[in-house]
Amino acid sequence: MYFDYAATTPPNDEVLKTFDTVNRDFWANPHALHRPGLRAEQLLEQARGQVLALLGAESGFRCIFTSGATESNNMAIRGTAYRFKKRGKHLITSAVEHPSVLTVFQSLESEGFDVTVLPVLGNGTVDPEELKNALRPDTTLVSLMHVNNEVGAINELPILGKVIKEGSDAVFHVDAAQSAGKLPIDLSKLQVDLLTFSAHKFYGLKGSGALLLPEKMVFKPLLYGGGQEFGLRSGTADPARAAAMAKALRLSLKNWEEDFAWVSKLRFQIQETLQKIPEVEINGSLDEGSPYIINCSVAGIKPETILQGLAEKKIYISTVSACSARQTAESFVVKAVTGDTKRAQHSIRISLASITAQDEVDGLCATLPELIETLR
């Protein structure tokens, strides 16, 4: 029983079929001028158009295919910071961002940029008033996640975008790694400039992601070479991976409302179970946020002990973000949300997907209370 879908999802069979077919039939270099190359390029551009259309970005945006959200975030943040550094060197982010965002800001701070890290509310979201007060005439970039990867908090993008655009000329970057494919995103209706995500979070392939940015926006690339991807990411593009991502995004968004309702039902059952266990506290909001992610702290037991106990029964959950799991003894996200070090040191994450089955949740809800009681 797998409950770590926030870390990754299995690739959809139809996505794998698309990847295999394109690899076999459109394997030529899409940047070559001969007929096979032109066919591969046509497929690449078709995938690019599909991704833009699915995210309401058909007009005025470009899609840069990358290796995933980490690369996309690095490209968006470093590219924007240096693109506008003559106008200002003040950058804003929040305390609960993914390491692929926070460490980039730490790097930029060491290079002379002035970084403001916003606190979050008790439900894990950024307070629009805090953001408004942090904006300055020299602010050039605000980078915030859509859905938090540890507690599932959902930032209100329409409100935050409005605050940023009314109070500054800053570029607004959104890390949508945990929302793309699960929640509808329409860039034509949001005041968001840059959007980043990974395909493997919504049944696509690892090593596949994207950065969406305004057509007119240019900045120095991270990689130099042949000038592919509008000069922003050199290297031979992969039509098969691009087509697979477009397919995964389309399939995921096709039934997002139905999936959201199903996962919400499962989340409620798990939360109800957790609330009945003594000294277990839910981190983040009980009735708001993404239903795909549940986080709680279990007093008196190390998270690793719980993970091991569940793993022996072939039930798999996680502690912190998979990207931080081997590096930290506590969750900096839970610490920022609750202000409680003990809760941050004893937090576990249970993450769901549209393919999570009722009997799996029943199994988890039957096993976890007994295990915690035994361990105590």
Side-chain angles (χ1 to χ4, degrees):
M1 289 178 268
Y2 184 84
F3 294 96
D4 194 19
Y5 291 108
T8 196
T9 54
N12 181 293
D13 286 345
E14 289 188 51
V15 171
L16 288 173
K17 187 177 177 182
T18 295
F19 181 70
D20 184 58
T21 301
V22 175
N23 252 336
R24 291 176 187 279
D25 299 342
F26 298 86
W27 51 266
N29 190 320
H31 313 296
L33 295 178
H34 46 62
R35 184 176 175 79
L38 293 174
R39 288 180 65 235
E41 182 190 29
Q42 187 178 20
L43 199 74
L44 179 70
E45 296 310 317
Q46 184 180 320
R48 200 187 308 278
Q50 289 173 347
V51 170
L52 288 169
L54 288 165
L55 297 171
E58 293 162 289
S59 176
F61 283 89
R62 280 178 175 159
C63 169
I64 309 297
F65 291 120
T66 68
S67 63
T70 292
E71 181 189 342
S72 300
N73 287 338
N74 272 263
M75 189 187 298
I77 296 166
R78 293 194 69 84
T80 303
Y82 274 96
R83 170 71 177 80
F84 297 110
K85 71 174 183 178
K86 289 183 180 176
R87 201 176 76 199
K89 299 181 77 171
H90 180 233
L91 316 172
I92 298 175
T93 189
S94 87
V96 298
E97 301 299 312
H98 188 272
S100 66
V101 168
L102 280 178
T103 54
V104 182
F105 276 93
Q106 289 165 4
S107 171
L108 288 168
E109 196 167 28
S110 72
E111 294 165 28
F113 286 87
D114 183 8
V115 176
T116 295
V117 180
L118 298 172
V120 291
L121 298 168
N123 63 4
T125 63
V126 169
D127 181 355
E129 199 60 29
E130 283 271 2
L131 173 59
K132 182 180 178 180
N133 294 334
L135 292 169
R136 305 188 327 210
D138 62 338
T139 305
T140 56
L141 172 66
V142 178
S143 177
L144 301 171
M145 60 190 0
H146 189 187
V147 172
N148 183 266
N149 57 312
E150 288 194 38
V151 300
I154 302 177
N155 275 320
E156 291 290 343
L157 298 186
I159 296 173
L160 297 175
K162 189 169 184 286
V163 167
I164 292 167
K165 297 305 176 183
E166 286 183 351
S168 73
D169 293 322
V171 170
F172 186 19
H173 163 241
V174 172
D175 173 5
Q178 294 294 341
S179 61
K182 300 186 181 76
L183 299 175
I185 297 173
D186 188 344
L187 289 182
S188 71
K189 297 178 180 174
L190 294 171
Q191 297 184 76
V192 171
D193 302 296
L194 307 171
L195 190 84
T196 48
F197 55 89
S198 284
H200 73 97
K201 306 290 189 181
F202 49 85
Y203 307 110
L205 303 175
K206 295 177 187 66
S208 177
L211 160 63
L212 272 57
L213 76 167
E215 281 180 337
K216 295 180 180 177
M217 189 167 178
V218 292
F219 47 66
K220 286 186 177 179
L222 297 178
L223 303 174
Y224 289 89
Q228 290 90 347
E229 296 295 296
F230 310 99
L232 293 175
R233 186 182 191 262
S234 290
T236 304
D238 187 345
R241 214 166 278 274
M245 181 166 72
K247 172 67 80 68
L249 187 58
R250 180 172 65 77
L251 293 175
S252 295
L253 288 173
K254 185 178 177 183
N255 300 312
W256 82 265
E257 283 181 298
E258 188 180 317
D259 293 340
F260 191 91
W262 169 246
V263 174
S264 295
K265 174 179 173 290
L266 300 178
R267 173 211 201 186
F268 180 75
Q269 181 182 344
I270 294 170
Q271 283 184 338
E272 219 177 29
T273 299
L274 292 172
Q275 286 178 290
K276 291 176 183 173
I277 305 174
E279 296 187 273
V280 170
E281 295 178 281
I282 305 286
N283 297 315
S285 174
L286 277 171
D287 50 7
E288 298 174 334
S290 169
Y292 290 89
I293 299 172
I294 303 158
N295 192 302
C296 70
S297 295
V298 183
I301 308 175
K302 288 182 177 179
E304 298 81 11
T305 306
I306 298 173
L307 262 63
Q308 187 178 350
L310 288 174
E312 287 173 1
K313 299 177 185 301
K314 297 184 178 179
I315 299 175
Y316 307 105
I317 64 169
S318 64
T319 52
V320 295
S321 158
C323 297
S324 305
R326 298 176 190 273
Q327 300 174 11
T328 180
E330 68 178 40
S331 163
F332 68 86
V333 172
V334 173
K335 179 72 180 294
V337 171
T338 66
D340 188 324
T341 301
K342 285 288 184 187
R343 282 175 71 168
Q345 291 172 340
H346 291 85
S347 66
I348 58 175
R349 180 181 72 176
I350 299 164
S351 51
L352 310 173
S354 58
I355 58 172
T356 303
Q358 181 65 60
D359 63 340
E360 292 178 305
V361 171
D362 291 344
L364 175 68
C365 290
T367 305
L368 191 54
E370 286 182 11
L371 176 68
I372 291 173
E373 188 179 346
T374 303
L375 292 174
R376 278 176 173 155

